[in-house]
Amino acid sequence: MSGVDDASNAASRSDSARPHAAFPESLPWVTRLVSMDTVSRNPNLGLIETVRDELKSLGVDSTLTHDASGKWANLFATIPAHDGKTNGGIVLSGHTDVVPVDGQQWDSDPFRPEIRNDRLYGRGTCDMKGFIGAALTLVPQMIGTKLARPIHFALSFDEEVGCVGAPLMIRDLAKRGVKADGCIVGEPTGMRPIVAHKSINMYRCCVRGHAAHSSLTPKGLNAIEYAARLICYIRDMADAFRDHGPFDELYDVPFTTIQTSTIQGGNAINTVPAECQFEFEFRGLPTVDPATIFARIDRYARETLLPLMRAEYPSGDIELSKIATAPGLDTTEQAAITQLVRALTRDQERRKVAYGTEAGLFSSSGVPSIICGPGDIDQAHKANEFVELAQLVECERFLGRLIHSMSVEAQTS
């Protein structure tokens, strides 16, 4: 794997002295992955095919599921149990896309990883190519272990734009009858287990009015003003959740949140705007039904605003459409995956997070899931994103303990 070694050397040369922290074995893989620009707007097929080919060289086959264009793909691969069994076992899940660097001030090229002060800098080092690289590094150990249960890799595309890619893979697994006992999603948690996160729900609203000269406003229908009424209604709902709950104090933001994120409309100050479009999202506690929230917004638009609009101009309309949704996660303490990860990390504290992950998707498909990976979420999406080298080492040790726990030796001792 000379490409892996070359990427590692490039990262190492950026620091004049070898880091004081323990040096991660996974550095070659992590730096190679980070060096691939897989910002969500760019195809990820080069990275996926690289991983597929490296796994193939080790005797591990992969299944790819592509998007409609064929330029993006998920990868699912299985290291079978010693008896050839491929069902059951644990999924190691990670997304291959990263967020853009546009407008950010970096001290180094975000796609040429550098080591400085015992940290590896680069886009995706923390979120979440560090985990993927660590897991890929241990594939030879997985193959060389007499496994009682299989270990699976699930690498997805377009997680950062609403968990778009993983559902294609999960549907394909269901069609092929592939099942797993649990899933570990390696989002950055400081290698501490996370048992729950909120749902993500993204929507677009288009309000259509009727253009007119601003001196003749009664002959037009102002799309911006009616969009503003709906936006204010959404804000009122957000305030109600903030003030009255429901609450879960284990979250850093202990209530469901709603916000309007973008808005466009109008073309001139002296024209009644014919159209206004905005996008909004809500992140709900797992106990809150997202469909109920959307239904309230949709009902207000249809039953309150539309009659007022059409009284002014008959063709007025409001169109609501879903951009993306991903379910929340709330894994029980009794779940085998929870108990396993707690035992491997020696961490019993209950933690929940406001950000979303693909763990909710796996859980909803019947695979109990938990989140645990290297790095700090506070570093994600920022300029000068980094992962501590010590975190990569800790992740490697965690995965090593996981592999041993799934061996015939451990299962029979």
Side-chain angles (χ1 to χ4, degrees), residues 241-273:
F241 278 117
R242 179 197 64 201
D243 296 338
H244 306 296
F247 300 103
D248 186 334
E249 299 300 334
L250 288 180
Y251 287 92
D252 48 357
V253 180
F255 49 86
T256 293
T257 59
I258 317 177
Q259 68 142 3
T260 300
S261 308
T262 68
I263 186 167
Q264 302 89 31
N267 60 2
I269 195 169
N270 61 348
T271 302
V272 175

Side-chain angles (χ1 to χ4, degrees), residues 124-148:
T125 51
C126 168
D127 185 18
M128 58 178 295
K129 293 178 177 179
F131 176 80
I132 297 173
L136 290 171
T137 299
L138 270 70
V139 170
Q141 183 177 336
M142 298 173 191
I143 295 171
T145 299
K146 190 176 182 180
L147 294 174

Side-chain angles (χ1 to χ4, degrees), residues 230-247 253-260 281-283 293 296-297:
L230 185 54
I231 290 170
C232 288
Y233 180 79
I234 291 171
R235 174 56 191 257
D236 288 342
M237 289 180 63
D239 291 345
F241 278 117
R242 179 197 64 201
D243 296 338
H244 306 296
F247 300 103
V253 180
F255 49 86
T256 293
T257 59
I258 317 177
Q259 68 142 3
T260 300
E281 65 150 28
F282 50 91
R283 295 177 180 253
I293 296 177
R296 287 177 57 190
I297 295 170

Side-chain angles (χ1 to χ4, degrees), residues 2 4 44 87 97 114 118 165-166 177 179 190 210 239 247 252 300 302 329 383 394:
S2 60
V4 175
N44 77 329
N87 265 331
D97 62 318
E114 291 188 4
D118 297 337
K179 300 178 182 179
H210 183 73
D239 291 345
F247 300 103
D252 48 357
Y300 179 77
R302 287 185 294 100
L329 172 74
E394 187 174 347

Side-chain angles (χ1 to χ4, degrees), residues 276-347:
C276 182
Q277 182 172 284
F278 65 93
E279 295 173 343
F280 64 96
E281 65 150 28
F282 50 91
R283 295 177 180 253
L285 299 178
T287 55
V288 175
D289 181 10
T292 301
I293 296 177
F294 176 75
R296 287 177 57 190
I297 295 170
D298 181 60
R299 185 166 56 249
Y300 179 77
R302 287 185 294 100
E303 297 180 2
T304 300
L305 294 183
L306 265 182
L308 295 174
M309 292 175 65
R310 289 174 176 171
E312 293 186 36
Y313 201 87
S315 64
D317 198 15
I318 300 175
E319 180 182 332
L320 289 162
S321 57
K322 179 172 66 176
I323 299 173
T325 62
L329 172 74
D330 195 4
T331 304
T332 68
E333 289 299 317
Q334 290 71 41
I337 191 66
T338 306
Q339 295 180 25
L340 173 62
V341 173
R342 290 206 181 284
L344 297 176
T345 58
R346 302 176 181 87
D347 189 323

